Structures are given as structure tokens and as C-alpha cells.
Amino acid sequence: MIRRILTRIGTSVLVLWGAVTVSFTALHLTPGNVVDVLIGSSIVTPEVRAQIIADYGLDAPLPVQYATYLGRVLRGDLGQSYQLHESVATAIGTQLGPSIQLAGAALLVAVVAATTLALLTARRKRWIRGLSSGLELIGVSIPTFWAAILLLTVFSFQLGWFPAVGDDSGSSLVLPVIAVAIPITTMLTQLMRESLELTLEEPFVLTARSRGMSDLGVRLRHALRHALVPAVTLLGWVIGLMVGSMVAVEQIFSRQGIGQLTLTAVSGKDLPVVMGVVLVTALLYVVVNILIDLLYLVIDPRLRSAA
């Protein structure tokens, strides 16, 4: 177990180092003067240009510039946005909360819905499983932005049940959460149902049934724990999918968040913000995968015994 932990820490460090290196390389491979690339479309004074050169060490050899940039990132200094007129860390920090709220709520809805659907459809009648599989195929095939527009049109413009834009109330979170959760729910449902069906054929399930345990009890107390393992494995990839989905969803519903900030930075050629978002996303990816490894210990008692 200790070896696994050390391996995970080493892999995480390599991922973060790779993200920093890619950001530095992108900065220097972008056509044009590095200072012009950093300030984007903003107009700055000669004093500010001189300060940028000093902060990034642009008058030094390239290895020294890389060491300077790496040191700044390790100190939490992601640079300055000369279009937003604030530090990149501040810009990301103010937008990170709404994105985490949206992602967390969508993930919770997806996990609960997928678990419920998998429990209700595993090893049921063929038409029930066929209907569920058809709905899952539709859900995973619909682009997130199209689902968001459809939800907005029906439940906001036509029925008026939820606000169309903004993030100032709990009701404004409902439609964005559903839009992000739809593809995640369909993928997790299919994976968990197949795992449940395999688990329900195991000998220990027959033993539990022979002791008089109800079908629901067998599914909840014995089969579900085994079905969660592959679903947890998929969560790391799902988080990456959610980041891409939130860019479109936050734009459609006019919500604050990292997706909205990234889109604005890309369209405005605000490279320091784009680089900062890349680094923060890599950090979140590492943290999520570490939490997933810890979640394995909660789900599988054999791993706890080995630890």
C-alpha cells in the first residue's frame, strides 16, 4: 500500500510538472514577442513592459526563464492579467466557487440517479433493460450544449419554471446541473448495471438469498459495493468531461465560473489566464485522482486490510 501511495505521489508530481512545462512552452512558441503575447490586446506603458520583462526574466537565457517561471508557480504566483487588471490567481479564485458548486451538484445528481437506475434495471425483464439502454444511448449521444439549449427553451422560456440566466438563486442551478449530469448519468448507469448483473451471478449472492435476504437487500448490501468499483474508476475521466461541458453550460446560462472565464480569456487572447486555468485544472485533476484512490479504501474492505 505504501508503494502505491508513493507511486501516486510521484505520478501527481509528474503531471503537475508537465502542465507547468507545457504552459511555459506554449508561451514561448506563440508567434510574436513574449511581452506582447502576455499583454494580449491591452495597451500598457513602457514601465509595465519593463516590469513584465523583470518578472518573467525575459532578458535571461531560456533555462533561467524556465527556472524563474517554475519558481513563481511553486509560490502560487500565476502571473498578472493585463486585460482584467488583476492577478490570475484572483481572477480564477473568484470564478472557481460557482464552477465547483455546479460540478459538485451535477456529480451528486449523476451518481444518485445512476445508482438508482442501475439497481432498478439490473437483471429485470428484457423490455425494461432495452428501454433503459435506449435512453442511455440517447443521453450519451446528445451534445451538452444542445441539451442545455433544449432545457432552457422548454423549462424556462415556455413553462417558466426556472430562471433563464444568472446564478443568484438555487432554482437557477437546476437546469445547468441537469445539462451537465445527463451524459455522466447515462455512462455510469450502463457501467453499474453491467457490473451489478455480473455480481448478482456470483456464489456469495446465492448464499445471501438462501439465508432469506430480500432481493433489494442483496442488491444494496452485497452487489452494490462491487458495482461501485468500476464506476469510481470512471470518475477520473468524468471530471475531465465535466470541465469541457461547463464551458458551454456556463456560457448558455450566463453563469460565472471557470468555463466562462476561459472562454473570455481565449477570445480576448489573455494568455496568462489561459495558462493559469491549465495549471489549476491539472491540480484539480491530481486532487480528484488522489481522492478516488482513498475512496477505493472505503468501498473495498480488502484494500483496507492490505493497508
Side-chain angles (χ1 to χ4, degrees), residues 49-76:
R49 295 180 70 92
Q51 185 63 45
I52 294 173
I53 293 174
D55 290 343
Y56 284 85
L58 299 178
D59 53 352
L62 197 61
V64 177
Q65 294 182 38
Y66 177 72
T68 302
Y69 180 70
L70 184 60
R72 293 182 60 184
V73 172
L74 290 175
R75 295 193 303 270

Side-chain angles (χ1 to χ4, degrees), residues 22-223:
V22 168
S23 299
F24 178 82
T25 304
L27 174 63
H28 286 268
L29 290 181
T30 303
N33 184 275
V34 175
V35 177
D36 294 331
V37 171
L38 288 170
I39 63 177
S41 58
S42 300
I43 300 176
V44 299
T45 63
E47 290 77 11
V48 173
R49 295 180 70 92
Q51 185 63 45
I52 294 173
I53 293 174
D55 290 343
Y56 284 85
L58 299 178
D59 53 352
L62 197 61
V64 177
Q65 294 182 38
Y66 177 72
T68 302
Y69 180 70
L70 184 60
R72 293 182 60 184
V73 172
L74 290 175
R75 295 193 303 270
D77 183 3
L78 301 179
Q80 186 79 11
S81 171
Y82 300 96
Q83 296 188 30
L84 300 177
H85 304 290
E86 62 181 351
S87 68
V88 174
T90 301
I92 293 176
T94 56
Q95 301 296 327
L96 192 59
S99 290
I100 291 179
Q101 182 187 42
L102 174 59
L107 188 61
L108 178 62
V109 169
V111 170
V112 172
T115 303
T116 303
L117 291 172
L119 287 170
L120 293 176
T121 58
R123 294 197 69 181
R124 300 301 187 187
K125 295 180 180 179
R126 180 173 296 180
W127 71 268
I128 295 178
R129 294 160 57 192
L131 177 62
S132 178
S133 298
L135 293 176
E136 291 158 15
L137 179 60
I138 294 174
V140 79
S141 302
I142 297 177
T144 303
F145 74 89
W146 192 86
I149 293 173
L150 183 63
L151 290 169
L152 189 64
T153 302
V154 175
F155 295 102
S156 182
F157 295 155
Q158 295 184 359
L159 298 177
W161 291 356
F162 301 100
V165 296
D167 53 2
D168 54 350
S169 64
S171 59
S172 63
L173 188 63
V174 174
L175 295 183
V177 164
I178 295 175
V180 175
I182 286 175
I184 302 172
T185 301
T186 54
M187 287 185 291
L188 290 179
T189 301
Q190 184 177 16
L191 183 65
M192 292 180 65
R193 184 176 63 251
E194 292 177 355
S195 182
L196 271 171
E197 290 176 347
L198 292 174
T199 303
L200 289 173
E201 296 177 357
E202 296 292 332
F204 70 87
V205 172
L206 180 61
T207 303
R209 293 185 189 278
S210 65
R211 293 176 179 175
M213 184 174 292
S214 64
D215 180 68
L216 180 61
V218 170
R219 291 170 181 261
L220 290 176
R221 295 186 58 183
H222 296 283

